[in-house]
Amino acid sequence: MSALQKEEPLRPPFSLKILGPAKREDVQTNLPPLGAGQDTNPPIPSISLLPAAYRTRENDITIPRPDDLDFLKSELSVDRLNEIHEWLMIVGRPMPPRALHLQRIKMREICPTEQMDLHLTWSPKRMFIKPIPRFLLDARFWEEHLCGNSWLYGCAMGFLLSYTALVQHESDFWIAKDAHLLPEEVTWHQWFLLVRQLLNCHNLSNINKRYIYGELRIGRLNMIYRLRLGKTRGYMSSCTTYGDFFRDNVNSLITLFAYTTIALSAMQVGLSTTYSDDNGAFQRASYGFSIFSIIAPLFSVAAMLALLIGLVINNLIATLRYRQQRFATSPQLKFHQ
C-alpha cells in the first residue's frame, strides 16, 4: 500500500429530496415547449434556490449566481470568527448549541439573521440564528457547487450540523417554522429523515473550526475585537447613534461614581473614630482618595466627550473617503455626483 492515501472526494451529506420541483414558468419563461418524452417534473434549477439579490463587497446590489464564489462566500463565510478562533474559549463552550425550546425557556427572542458570522451569537435577550438557505437543502446543488471546494463545504456542513442540535424535537421544529428558519414546504417527517442522514455521514474533520463552538456571547466578541484587534466598533456594535454610545458609557460612569461615594462615606466614618487618630497611612489614603474623587469624574467626563468628538470626526472622514471611492469605482453613480 502507498504511504500516502488519496483523500476521498467530498460528497453531499444527504440524498433526501426535500424541496419540491420548481415550477417551469417561475424560473425560465423562455424554455421551448415540452415535447414528447420530456421530463414533466425536472430537478430544481439552481438559480431558483438562491436569494433574489445579494450585496457585493463593493456594496452593489446584484443578482446571485450559483457559480459565483463571492456570492457563496457572502452566504457561508465565518472568517471573522476564524480570525479570533484561539479566543473563542472565553466566548463560548466547545459543544453544540442548545435546542430552540431551551432558548425560549431562557427568555431569548429568536432573531433571524442572514449574516453567517452572527449565527448562534447571543445577547441576554436575543439569539441570532441564520435561516437555512434553500440551496443547502438540495443535494444536487451540493454536488455541483460545494463538494469541489473544501472550505465552502466545511462552512456549509458545520452550519447544517448546528441545526441538528437546534431542531431536535417536534416542538423545536414548529418554533423554527414560526421564526421562518426553515423553508415553508419542509415537513417534520422530512426533517426527521434529513437529521438522521446528516448525523450518520458527518465527519467533524470536514467542518469549519468555528462550529466546534456553539453559542457565542456578543459582548465578549465585542471585547476581543476592541482589545485584541483594536476595532472600536467591536464585533457587532449595539450603538446605532451617538446618543446610544453616550448613554451606554454614562451608565458605567454612574456605577463608578456610586462606588466612589460609598468609599468616601466609609472613609469619613473611619476618620471620625479614635482608632484612626494614630493611623497616618489611613489618613493619607483618605486624603488622596478624596482628591481623586474630585478629579476622576471631571477627567472621565472630559475623556468621554473627547472620545465622542473623535468618533464623530473619524466617522465623517470615513464617510467622505468612502463616498469618493464609491463614485470613483461606479461609473453609473458619476452621473449623480
Side-chain angles (χ1 to χ4, degrees):
M1 292 180 60
S2 174
L4 297 176
Q5 293 183 348
K6 186 178 179 180
E7 294 184 2
E8 293 186 6
L10 296 173
R11 294 184 176 87
F14 61 91
S15 58
L16 182 69
K17 186 174 182 180
I18 299 174
L19 304 178
K23 293 181 180 179
R24 186 179 174 87
E25 62 272 16
D26 287 344
V27 293
Q28 286 183 319
T29 58
N30 58 345
L31 284 176
L34 290 173
Q38 275 189 268
D39 188 2
T40 59
N41 194 24
I44 303 176
S46 296
I47 193 69
S48 68
L49 299 170
L50 306 181
Y54 92 101
R55 183 185 297 270
T56 67
R57 287 178 293 182
E58 294 77 24
N59 285 317
D60 293 320
I61 306 301
T62 187
I63 298 174
R65 302 190 319 273
D67 57 349
D68 185 349
L69 185 59
D70 287 337
F71 160 70
L72 293 175
K73 285 183 176 180
S74 72
E75 284 287 313
L76 301 174
S77 175
V78 287
D79 282 349
R80 289 206 301 160
L81 292 171
N82 290 157
E83 188 177 0
I84 56 168
H85 181 75
E86 67 273 15
W87 293 92
L88 293 186
M89 65 177 69
I90 65 173
V91 180
R93 295 182 179 181
M95 58 180 281
R98 283 163 286 199
L100 291 179
H101 74 273
L102 291 175
Q103 306 296 338
R104 285 280 183 89
I105 290 174
K106 291 180 174 292
M107 304 299 291
R108 292 177 185 165
E109 178 189 1
I110 306 298
C111 294
T113 174
E114 293 297 343
Q115 194 170 329
M116 184 64 86
D117 54 19
L118 288 181
H119 179 61
L120 299 181
T121 61
W122 62 276
S123 61
K125 296 295 183 181
R126 294 185 298 176
M127 180 73 170
F128 295 99
I129 300 178
K130 179 177 172 67
I132 298 184
R134 301 177 71 86
F135 61 82
L136 289 187
L137 294 178
D138 185 75
R140 185 164 167 260
F141 189 96
W142 278 77
E143 187 173 2
E144 293 179 355
H145 304 290
L146 298 178
C147 291
N149 186 314
S150 60
W151 182 84
L152 288 175
Y153 186 95
C155 292
M157 188 65 193
F159 172 72
L160 274 190
L161 285 177
S162 73
Y163 261 88
T164 65
L166 289 170
V167 184
Q168 301 178 35
H169 303 86
E170 194 167 356
S171 59
D172 301 318
F173 176 80
W174 290 114
I175 293 174
K177 293 297 286 282
D178 184 59
H180 304 287
L181 300 179
L182 298 173
E184 183 180 357
E185 61 266 43
V186 178
T187 65
W188 165 247
H189 180 66
Q190 289 175 322
W191 181 255
F192 176 85
L193 297 176
L194 174 65
V195 169
R196 286 179 170 249
Q197 288 193 6
L198 289 173
L199 294 180
N200 280 333
C201 75
H202 82 278
N203 183 348
L204 292 180
S205 63
N206 288 334
I207 69 170
N208 187 284
K209 60 184 179 180
R210 176 267 176 269
Y211 294 102
I212 296 174
Y213 295 87
E215 303 166 28
L216 303 175
R217 296 182 60 140
I218 289 180
R220 294 182 184 177
L221 288 173
N222 284 333
M223 179 184 67
I224 292 171
Y225 256 66
R226 287 173 181 141
L227 299 180
R228 179 68 177 84
L229 302 180
K231 297 184 178 180
T232 56
R233 292 179 180 272
Y235 189 78
M236 191 192 80
S237 177
S238 59
C239 300
T240 56
T241 65
Y242 295 118
D244 292 337
F245 172 81
F246 194 82
R247 195 179 304 111
D248 289 349
N249 287 277
V250 163
N251 291 337
S252 301
L253 289 179
I254 291 175
T255 303
L256 176 63
F257 296 160
Y259 173 77
T260 302
T261 302
I262 295 173
L264 284 174
S265 300
M267 287 182 172
Q268 186 177 10
V269 172
L271 289 173
S272 65
T273 63
T274 57
Y275 293 103
S276 62
D277 291 342
D278 298 328
N279 194 334
F282 181 75
Q283 293 181 359
R284 288 191 297 272
S286 299
Y287 174 76
F289 192 79
S290 63
I291 299 298
F292 169 80
S293 64
I294 296 173
I295 297 175
L298 297 176
F299 177 81
S300 299
V301 171
M304 189 170 61
L305 288 175
L307 179 59
L308 186 61
I309 293 172
L311 285 175
V312 171
I313 295 174
N314 181 68
N315 288 340
L316 179 59
I317 293 174
T319 300
L320 293 175
R321 186 178 299 163
Y322 175 78
R323 180 181 182 275
Q324 182 180 8
Q325 179 183 2
R326 176 78 169 152
F327 278 101
T329 57
S330 181
Q332 296 180 356
L333 291 177
K334 289 182 179 180
F335 177 79
H336 300 284
Q337 192 171 11

